[in-house]
Amino acid sequence: GAVVSQHPSWVICKSGTSVKIECRSLDFQATTMFWYRQFPKQSLMLMATSNEGSKATYEQGVEKDKFLINHASLTLSTLTVTSAHPEDSSFYICSASEVGRGVGEQYFGPGTRLTVT
Amino acid sequence: QKEVEQNSGPLSVPEGAIASLNCTYSDRGSQSFFWYRQYSGKSPELIMFIYSNGDKEDGRFTAQLNKASQYVSLLIRDSQPSDSATYLCAVITTGGFKTIFGAGTRLFVKA
């Protein structure tokens, strides 16, 4: 149980283009989904928290117009990196917490490795 | 002061030994504590959570919590090379709305 999928697992795109990453909870309904970014040998950095049907809450320093988050249902959240640049190259990981459980009990997707050329 | 602090390591232990991973946190009102394991190039996976002072055991893993000292630890008994990974401590802040992750401790178990 508690499986979270992400698609795509890796993507290469050209500078200036947009990339959409999907995060799905496969066998549970997710109250809250989280988006993280992780650079090599560094810790997770929370980018934003999203609840189904409401606007995402972005962490300080994260541009909401650049990283668009849509949480369309209790099982799907998407992150769109708009006008991507090489410095956006990173490992993007989503996680989800199940309805009725606390936000600390997060189940992570396998991550999406983004390379912007 | 960082909200959740961990020694970055690497912590190196021989196979079969006990690995002890430590974490301190600054928010005295925190109530929920989690340990995640992250293999290189992979995403984190939840190992254990603990809410009450004392010890909580699950197989070879024991989480220990001391709220007075604002300290949480993870013990791994009979360490195996497959336990080699980065272990992340996570704490839910007062109010329960946000999870703060530590930077992680790298564990290396030598065969």
Side-chain angles (χ1 to χ4, degrees):
Chain A
V3 178
V4 176
S5 71
Q6 264 184 260
H7 179 80
S9 55
W10 60 271
V11 58
I12 302 172
C13 70
K14 291 187 176 180
S15 188
T17 61
S18 296
V19 173
K20 180 185 281 190
I21 303 170
E22 286 190 353
C23 177
R24 291 181 185 272
S25 56
L26 299 185
D27 53 0
F28 66 98
Q29 292 188 321
T31 313
T32 307
M33 287 186 168
F34 305 85
W35 286 96
Y36 295 86
R37 182 166 53 181
Q38 187 174 38
F39 293 104
K41 297 194 190 311
Q42 294 188 25
S43 188
L44 294 173
M45 187 194 83
L46 178 65
M47 299 175 67
T49 303
S50 73
N51 292 291
E52 183 259 345
S54 59
K55 289 184 178 180
T57 301
Y58 290 81
E59 294 300 301
Q60 195 171 12
V62 178
E63 300 173 57
K64 60 180 68 175
D65 293 331
K66 181 171 181 60
F67 298 99
L68 301 178
I69 292 172
N70 183 278
H71 195 151
S73 72
L74 284 173
T75 59
L76 173 64
S77 177
T78 60
L79 167 68
T80 301
V81 182
T82 63
S83 187
H85 288 96
E87 57 265 31
D88 298 323
S89 299
S90 187
F91 190 40
Y92 290 85
I93 312 173
C94 74
S95 71
S97 58
E98 189 174 358
V99 172
R101 293 186 179 272
V103 295
E105 212 173 314
Q106 298 179 30
Y107 297 93
F108 285 82
T112 297
R113 199 162 298 280
L114 170 64
T115 302
V116 184
T117 60
Chain B
Q1 181 190 6
K2 293 181 182 176
E3 294 179 84
V4 178
E5 291 210 49
Q6 294 181 257
N7 188 319
S8 62
L11 172 65
S12 183
V13 301
E15 183 175 359
I18 296 175
S20 178
L21 303 161
N22 305 316
C23 172
T24 58
Y25 58 94
S26 61
D27 183 350
R28 185 169 286 279
S30 299
Q31 297 295 322
S32 306
F33 309 87
F34 301 80
W35 282 100
Y36 289 83
R37 176 176 62 197
Q38 185 176 23
Y39 291 111
S40 181
K42 303 294 184 182
S43 59
E45 57 181 320
L46 180 64
I47 299 176
M48 289 190 71
F49 55 85
I50 186 167
Y51 302 145
S52 304
N53 276 329
D55 294 1
K56 179 181 179 183
E57 188 174 317
D58 183 0
R60 294 187 296 113
F61 298 99
T62 299
Q64 299 176 316
L65 174 61
N66 184 326
K67 291 184 181 178
S69 300
Q70 296 174 236
Y71 176 94
V72 59
S73 65
L74 178 70
L75 302 179
I76 305 174
R77 288 184 300 282
D78 188 24
S79 296
Q80 301 297 309
S82 59
D83 294 326
S84 299
T86 296
Y87 289 80
L88 304 171
C89 170
V91 176
I92 297 187
T93 57
T94 303
F97 301 122
K98 193 167 179 178
T99 304
I100 306 295
F101 282 85
T105 298
R106 282 194 300 133
L107 173 66
F108 179 60
V109 181
K110 298 175 290 184

